[in-house]
Structure formats: C-alpha cells, structure tokens
Amino acid sequence: MFDVSIVKERLQAFGYEAGEGDDFSLVFCVEKVRGSIKNKTHLSSVPADLEAVAVDMAAGEFLLAKKTFSPDSLEGLDLGMAVKQIQAGDTNTVFATGEGSLTAEQRLDAFISRLLSREGEILHYRRLKW
C-alpha cells in the first residue's frame, strides 16, 4: 500500500526535498487520493496495480497546494528536465512543443496536470456498486 514515504521519494526524484513542515500536507494528499480512488472504483482499498498512479496523484496534489500557497518553496524543482519529457515503458509524453516555448510556471502547470489526470487508468478497476 502506498504511503507518505513513497510520495516523498517521488517528490525527491523531481528535485523537491520534503521537510517536517510538509508532513501534514503529505498525509492529507495521500488520504485524499486514496479516498478518491476508492470512491471511483467502489473498492475497499487501492489496488496494487494503481499504487504508482496513486503516488503520482498524491505528488501532484501536494505540488498543486505548494504552488498555490507557497510557490517560493518549489524553486528546487528541475522543470527543464522533468517537464519536457516523461517516458514510461513504450509511452513517451513531451510537454514542451519547442525549446523554451513555455514559461516555468506553464511547465509546472502542465506537469501537475499530467500527475493528476489519471482518471482513465483508475476507471479500469471500477466495480459495480449494489
């Protein structure tokens, strides 16, 4: 089952070092994503195959909250590399259409949007509710 420590590691991979002041927000984001997935799938727990999706969504929720309420704390993120291209297996997603065509804020917004928009993957696990 995914937890705060895995989300912290994911954020660290993006260049954000979570501090002690981030613990409450991270726990909240993890529980929010866990509840959201359980509500959408009508399951009592997050399926093991969706844990990577849940970690990305929790990281996206956290980064969105940080961008909204404490944007200066995100200065350590490497937006040049993390947002240009994401490759997962055979899937390759490129966010910038040209070198320098997006501002740092636009790249961050696109990156957060990508982390949060995993609805299709979640719906594959949906069960009927009686």
Side-chain angles (χ1 to χ4, degrees), residues 33 35-43 46-47 49-51 53-54 57 116-129:
V33 168
S36 178
I37 290 174
K38 290 185 333 185
N39 286 337
K40 288 177 183 173
T41 61
H42 304 295
L43 297 171
V46 176
D49 291 342
L50 284 180
E51 287 188 9
V53 171
M57 289 177 67
L116 293 174
S117 61
R118 308 294 289 271
E119 186 81 20
E121 294 173 72
I122 294 170
L123 293 179
H124 287 286
Y125 291 87
R126 191 165 191 193
R127 301 289 185 249
L128 289 175
K129 184 174 181 179

Side-chain angles (χ1 to χ4, degrees), residues 3-130:
D3 61 4
V4 172
S5 63
I6 297 171
V7 176
K8 281 184 179 180
E9 288 178 27
R10 185 71 168 142
L11 290 168
Q12 189 176 18
F14 300 145
Y16 181 83
E17 195 67 41
E20 276 191 41
D22 294 329
D23 286 345
F24 176 78
S25 294
L26 284 167
V27 169
F28 181 82
C29 290
V30 165
E31 291 304 318
K32 179 179 179 182
V33 168
R34 184 175 286 131
S36 178
I37 290 174
K38 290 185 333 185
N39 286 337
K40 288 177 183 173
T41 61
H42 304 295
L43 297 171
S44 60
S45 64
V46 176
D49 291 342
L50 284 180
E51 287 188 9
V53 171
V55 169
D56 275 355
M57 289 177 67
E61 289 285 347
F62 178 79
L63 291 174
L64 182 61
K66 276 295 192 181
K67 178 186 177 287
T68 303
F69 298 110
S70 181
D72 294 337
S73 65
L74 296 178
E75 291 177 356
L77 287 177
D78 184 8
L79 296 174
M81 294 303 288
V83 180
K84 270 188 188 175
Q85 181 174 350
I86 293 178
Q87 185 166 354
D90 294 341
T91 304
N92 188 15
T93 304
V94 178
F95 292 107
T97 55
E99 293 297 316
S101 65
L102 299 175
T103 66
E105 184 174 4
Q106 289 172 324
R107 290 193 311 262
L108 179 60
D109 289 342
F111 183 60
I112 291 171
S113 176
R114 171 68 179 122
L115 289 173
L116 293 174
S117 61
R118 308 294 289 271
E119 186 81 20
E121 294 173 72
I122 294 170
L123 293 179
H124 287 286
Y125 291 87
R126 191 165 191 193
R127 301 289 185 249
L128 289 175
K129 184 174 181 179
W130 295 95

